[in-house]
Amino acid sequence: AELAIGNGMVILSPPYDEFQVPGENAVHHQSLYVSVTNAHAHKANAISAGVTLKTDLRETDYGAIVYSARDFAGYHWIFAHSL
C-alpha cells in the first residue's frame, strides 16, 4: 500500500528477507523505504558519512532505482527514486 502524506509517501509492504533488523536471530519489525530525489547522489553522501551499504544501486521491476544501507545502530534503510 502507498500512503500519500503531503509531498511524501509511506509504502507498506511485507518484509524482505534481505532487510532484517540487527542481530542474527532478531525478529523483523520494520523496513524503512525512503524516497529521495537522486539515489545516486544520496548513496555517495551516505558513503562519505561512513554508512555501510547492504545492497548497491539497482533498478527494480516497479520502476525505481534503490539501494540499502545499514545505519550506525545496525538498522537497514532502503533509499530510492522513481524512474
Side-chain angles (χ1 to χ4, degrees), residues 29 39-40 49 61-62 82:
H29 295 285
H40 295 87
D61 57 352
Y62 54 87
S82 296

Side-chain angles (χ1 to χ4, degrees), residues 6-83:
N7 291 331
M9 181 184 304
V10 175
I11 299 174
L12 305 174
S13 71
Y16 294 92
D17 289 340
E18 64 203 63
F19 303 122
Q20 298 296 315
V21 295
E24 189 174 314
N25 297 315
V27 175
H28 181 82
H29 295 285
Q30 66 188 21
S31 286
L32 299 171
Y33 184 105
V34 180
S35 180
V36 296
T37 304
N38 182 323
H40 295 87
H42 191 275
K43 174 190 157 195
N45 287 336
I47 289 171
S48 68
V51 170
T52 303
L53 288 185
K54 180 140 177 78
T55 60
D56 206 352
L57 289 163
R58 65 181 173 85
E59 188 173 329
T60 68
D61 57 352
Y62 54 87
I65 298 291
V66 303
Y67 80 95
S68 68
R70 183 172 319 164
D71 70 15
F72 298 111
Y75 288 92
H76 300 140
W77 294 71
I78 305 162
F79 298 97
H81 74 257
S82 296
L83 294 173

